Amino acid sequence: MKNILFGLLLFSGCAFAQEKTAADSVLVRNTLGEITITSTPIQDKLQRIPAAVNVIAAEDFQRGDQLSIANELNKNPGIQMQQGALNTSRISIRGLGARSQYSTNRVKAYIEGIPLTTGEGETTLEDIDLNLIERMEIIKGPASSSYGAGLGGAINISVIKPERSTIKLNGLAGAYGLFKSGITAALADDKTAGFVSYNHLEKDGFRANSNYNRNTLTGFARTQINAASALTFFGNYTRVKAFIPSSVNEETLHNSPEDAAFTWGQAKGYESYDKALAGLSYEWNITANHTWQTSVFANYRDGYEPRPFDILDEESFAFGIRSTLKSQFSLFNLPAKSSIGVEYFDEHYQAQLFNNLYEENDGNGSLQGDRFSNQEQDRKYLNLFAQLSLQLAPKLKADVGLNYNHSRYRLDDYLNEANIDNSGVYTYPRIFLPQAGLSYEAASDKFIYASVSRGFSLPTVAETLTPEGAINPEIKPETGMNYELGLKAQWLDKKLYTELGLYTVQVTNLLVAERVGDDQYVGRNAGATDHNGIEFFVHYRGKLSPEWSLQPYGSLAINDYSFDEFVDNDENFNGNDLTGVADQVINLGLDVAFQNCFKININYRHTGSIPLDDANSLYSDAYNLVNLRGDYNFTLFNEVKTQLFAGVNNVFDTNYAAQVLPNATGFGGAAPRYYYPGEPVNFYAGLNIDLF
């Protein structure tokens, strides 16, 4: 009898789900190349943009455990997100940013037009709840003239816009103490739509000293003031306390990956912070051909981080404005579109350092001692940008753009243990960044594109300082030229979408991290690198029958990244492989769905070996990962839409390094700690409920 009742429940759930199939049909969703890209200066269809742009939709984030964007980001060729813990990650695009020690600092990111990237160029995406993301657009390389500093590219995130009033609940539980819960209340009518969402995430972690706890509150609202103008608000508050197990040596990786680094475990090192950001945007359709949009934004962060070598107490506040005017017109009797704008960003940062007396604290972890450093920093930058798109012929389009950047950095040193005032001001050289591209429709729905662009990235604060804590006026921004040729094509009645890209990026004034102490680094310019690669992406969306849909997908990145000119401490590394990035990455996946009721996803990823030091004396092992997830959608009481899901990560229990620390150095005879161990096989299950 129980089996019969269970079968009836499944059948009824599928029956109710079938009613909305038309709204979510393969026919509606199979035209990937026809997606309009909104984050480029001039909006156009994905196929028609002469640049490499990847799109991750809300439904794509339903393929994994909904904890991190890494699972989906890594499926896009040329993008590698290494994540050693929920609060420790590094994103590199086409090898740019791969040698960063602990963070993402060559990629610029925005959410609803608000910068997530700090004034020093560091980007943190770990705090975003995946249930709220509608779409993520990634521009690879410096192919857009409107984002300024970001040699690796730009990531633009938009949140889900409510179409009806509803209350949504979500819950998730899994291995290693994983628990996640959230509630979202949305309101929508003819003129106004918005939501308020609260989410909680906690996890013990499989490693010692890796407890994680996060609470977020997010709000969005958009109202149509009149037929020509609209006002949009976005705000987010996040509170995090995350312990840090840090990296380990090779022996620990293979024999006891659950261990934390000894000093971090003894100090019970962690980071905690309160972070808030908010923005207000006004959009005015001046005429049918002219639209003006202006956003003002601000963010605040208060952080505290006890580390074995010191305790960092930091606080930052930033504000800014971004304004664009987009137009359509005729130029020399040719259809044209333009985008001109300005972005200004001003950030004040204060950092105090204290001695950590954990060794004197009877095994109770970190204990704050005397303060030995107190510095304040002001960072300002101004971006002016313009882009023109010209339809030269029915099948030929040209884009040209120019960005101007002016950045300034001031340091006020109030306390230094050497009693030396390291205060100073440094203005980076003014930089002009041109960009140009061509797109040609060689056959129906098959576009060939070529582009050339220049980009740059500012040094981080740590990279701008000398070992004594003073500004190093010799530090210059990294700059690079990107050359690219590609094909974007749809086949089989737009069910099959493919992309092929070939590129080379030539980087000069390469910023390298020189280790001056235990987990402490300074930066300097040390040469040039060549980034050559081939990227391939394929996605098929079709039906096996009226009930069954099939979506296989795959990507391939073959990377040839090397030092062109690099001499460090009289050692010549010319021709060596670039540190910190895999030579090849392969992704294969399959989505199978039945009547919009059952769905299963399986994903395989191969990551090649990674050079761990500039001398190429040691490489990490290549590894293979398989992840699985299954979903069941049904409706209760004709109204309550319900989704049950469960999954397995690392199905075959692979021992691997989820993140590496380039050029790690051992102190006191200890082996270098290059590796952040990845999680063993782990399970999760969750529930999403849409009440009405």
Side-chain angles (χ1 to χ4, degrees):
M1 178 62 72
K2 290 182 179 179
N3 291 336
I4 294 175
L5 290 175
F6 183 65
L8 289 174
L9 174 62
L10 296 183
F11 177 78
S12 62
C14 289
F16 285 123
Q18 181 72 13
E19 295 177 2
K20 56 168 286 185
T21 300
D24 192 36
S25 66
V26 174
L27 181 63
V28 173
R29 296 180 289 115
N30 67 7
T31 54
L32 184 59
E34 299 301 313
I35 292 175
T36 298
I37 302 301
T38 61
S39 58
T40 50
I42 297 173
Q43 297 182 11
D44 209 335
K45 303 297 184 183
L46 173 62
Q47 281 183 277
R48 298 173 182 272
I49 292 176
V53 182
N54 289 130
V55 179
I56 306 175
E59 65 180 24
D60 298 325
F61 287 115
Q62 302 301 315
R63 292 169 170 167
D65 56 18
Q66 299 181 341
L67 298 183
S68 167
I69 65 170
N71 186 55
E72 288 304 315
L73 208 59
N74 284 325
K75 294 177 183 177
N76 295 275
I79 305 172
Q80 294 185 36
M81 181 174 180
Q82 299 181 26
Q83 187 162 35
L86 286 174
N87 62 314
T88 304
S89 68
R90 175 176 62 248
I91 299 172
S92 64
I93 298 181
R94 294 178 170 177
L96 300 163
R99 301 177 78 257
S100 169
Q101 296 299 308
Y102 303 110
S103 60
T104 299
N105 61 8
R106 298 294 184 270
V107 178
K108 202 164 185 181
Y110 295 79
I111 184 167
E112 290 297 325
I114 304 172
L116 292 171
T117 304
T118 67
E120 63 168 333
E122 290 196 349
T123 297
T124 301
L125 300 181
E126 293 92 338
D127 297 336
I128 302 170
D129 191 271
L130 301 193
N131 288 307
L132 302 179
I133 297 178
E134 180 180 58
R135 192 159 72 172
M136 182 179 292
E137 298 178 0
I138 306 108
I139 303 172
K140 293 186 287 191
S144 175
S145 62
S146 66
Y147 295 113
L151 184 56
I155 297 176
N156 288 273
I157 301 170
S158 57
V159 298
I160 292 174
K161 312 303 188 294
E163 297 180 354
R164 58 189 178 85
S165 299
T166 183
I167 294 178
K168 296 183 178 182
L169 307 174
N170 68 82
L172 177 69
Y176 307 115
L178 169 62
F179 177 74
K180 183 175 183 288
S181 61
I183 180 171
T184 301
L187 179 67
D189 58 26
D190 294 340
K191 291 186 176 181
T192 302
F195 69 80
V196 176
S197 181
Y198 168 77
N199 288 276
H200 169 76
L201 172 61
E202 61 183 72
K203 190 175 184 180
D204 296 336
F206 91 100
R207 298 183 63 194
N209 202 62
S210 61
N211 302 66
Y212 181 89
N213 189 292
R214 184 187 77 201
N215 292 280
T216 60
L217 183 65
T218 306
F220 169 85
R222 177 180 173 87
T223 184
Q224 197 71 34
I225 299 174
N226 52 46
S229 60
L231 193 65
T232 303
F233 168 82
F234 177 80
N236 175 267
Y237 168 78
T238 303
R239 168 169 285 185
V240 169
K241 184 171 185 180
F243 285 82
I244 302 173
S246 195
S247 55
V248 297
N249 59 37
E250 186 173 13
E251 180 183 358
T252 303
L253 171 70
H254 293 302
N255 297 319
S256 52
E258 69 278 1
D259 291 347
F262 178 76
T263 54
W264 283 87
Q266 291 293 303
K268 294 181 170 57
Y270 67 89
E271 67 169 335
S272 63
Y273 55 83
D274 291 275
K275 182 170 66 176
L277 60 87
L280 192 64
S281 176
Y282 175 74
E283 182 178 328
W284 179 26
N285 295 316
I286 303 172
T287 68
N289 295 321
H290 302 279
T291 300
W292 174 56
Q293 185 172 14
T294 296
S295 301
V296 291
F297 49 82
N299 64 62
Y300 169 79
R301 187 181 187 275
D302 183 7
Y304 188 78
E305 184 175 351
R307 309 173 292 195
F309 44 88
D310 61 28
I311 294 177
L312 170 65
D313 189 351
E314 58 183 348
E315 186 174 296
S316 66
F317 174 76
F319 66 91
I321 184 171
R322 182 178 176 89
S323 184
T324 59
L325 175 65
K326 297 183 179 182
S327 303
Q328 299 184 54
F329 52 94
S330 178
L331 183 64
F332 306 119
N333 293 321
L334 297 173
K337 296 180 181 180
S338 69
S339 174
I340 59 173
V342 58
E343 179 179 353
Y344 174 76
F345 187 87
D346 190 314
E347 181 178 62
H348 179 78
Y349 174 80
Q350 180 178 11
Q352 301 179 81
L353 295 176
F354 300 83
N355 291 312
N356 192 337
L357 308 178
Y358 71 94
E359 294 177 308
E360 306 171 17
N361 200 25
D362 299 324
N364 293 315
S366 295
L367 177 65
Q368 183 172 305
D370 294 334
R371 183 176 64 176
F372 65 87
S373 177
N374 182 13
Q375 294 185 342
E376 293 185 11
Q377 301 157 7
D378 284 299
R379 311 161 189 147
K380 298 177 172 64
Y381 70 73
L382 173 69
N383 282 329
L384 303 176
F385 51 89
Q387 187 148 338
L388 174 69
S389 178
L390 198 61
Q391 196 71 41
L392 300 175
K395 295 185 177 183
L396 180 64
K397 187 185 78 164
D399 283 5
V400 293
L402 182 66
N403 176 279
Y404 165 80
N405 182 274
H406 181 206
S407 301
R408 182 175 180 269
Y409 169 49
R410 188 186 76 195
L411 172 69
D412 293 315
D413 189 4
Y414 297 106
L415 174 66
N416 187 286
E417 60 181 358
N419 294 319
I420 299 174
D421 186 358
N422 291 311
S423 300
V425 177
Y426 183 64
T427 299
Y428 292 105
R430 291 165 172 80
I431 295 179
F432 289 90
L433 306 171
Q435 176 262 330
L438 286 172
S439 176
Y440 175 69
E441 188 174 11
S444 178
D445 292 316
K446 296 165 184 64
F447 293 79
I448 298 172
Y449 73 91
S451 68
V452 57
S453 54
R454 184 173 187 244
F456 83 108
S457 287
L458 291 172
T460 64
V461 170
E463 290 171 330
T464 60
L465 302 180
T466 67
E468 295 74 30
I471 290 178
N472 180 3
E474 302 301 320
I475 288 290
K476 300 177 182 178
E478 276 186 358
T479 57
M481 290 296 299
N482 180 82
Y483 305 90
E484 187 168 346
L485 180 66
L487 168 69
K488 302 178 183 180
Q490 294 192 114
W491 317 79
L492 304 178
D493 194 26
K494 299 185 179 181
K495 293 183 177 67
L496 177 65
Y497 178 76
T498 60
E499 285 186 6
L500 176 65
L502 297 87
Y503 65 89
T504 180
V505 186
Q506 309 297 312
V507 178
T508 56
N509 293 323
L510 174 70
L511 284 164
V512 301
E514 179 181 353
R515 193 162 190 160
V516 295
D518 187 11
D519 290 303
Q520 293 176 299
Y521 300 82
V522 296
R524 58 191 183 83
N525 299 108
T529 55
D530 291 335
H531 301 245
N532 307 308
I534 300 173
E535 298 170 355
F536 178 70
F537 175 80
V538 59
H539 194 170
Y540 176 81
R541 287 175 167 171
K543 277 185 171 291
L544 295 175
S545 71
E547 293 82 17
W548 289 92
S549 65
L550 185 72
Q551 295 187 37
Y553 57 90
S555 66
L556 169 67
I558 300 175
N559 309 318
D560 181 16
Y561 306 151
S562 61
F563 295 110
D564 185 26
E565 300 175 6
F566 183 23
V567 178
D568 188 13
N569 292 327
D570 297 325
E571 290 189 63
N572 191 325
F573 300 121
N574 293 357
N576 285 7
D577 293 334
L578 181 68
T579 321
V581 63
D583 58 348
Q584 60 180 353
V585 178
I586 302 171
N587 269 284
L588 299 173
L590 177 64
D591 289 337
V592 180
F594 175 70
Q595 290 188 346
N596 202 34
C597 178
F598 293 105
K599 183 177 180 181
I600 187 168
N601 168 262
I602 182 170
N603 175 251
Y604 162 81
R605 182 169 87 247
H606 167 80
T607 301
S609 59
I610 300 174
L612 298 177
D613 61 3
D614 296 336
N616 291 175
S617 64
L618 185 65
Y619 285 70
S620 69
D621 294 332
Y623 63 87
N624 302 287
L625 290 179
V626 175
N627 298 326
L628 273 170
R629 171 168 158 164
D631 293 53
Y632 170 52
N633 298 283
F634 59 97
T635 303
L636 291 175
F637 314 117
N638 294 333
E639 293 182 358
V640 181
K641 298 175 183 177
T642 307
Q643 179 188 36
L644 292 170
F645 62 92
V648 185
N649 293 325
N650 194 2
V651 172
F652 297 105
D653 201 21
T654 300
N655 179 278
Y656 71 104
Q659 186 172 340
V660 298
L661 181 62
N663 295 310
T665 304
F667 287 90
R673 298 189 286 110
Y674 288 108
Y675 310 95
Y676 290 84
E679 281 194 349
V681 58
N682 60 93
F683 307 85
Y684 62 88
L687 173 68
N688 296 324
I689 298 176
D690 192 343
L691 292 181
F692 51 82

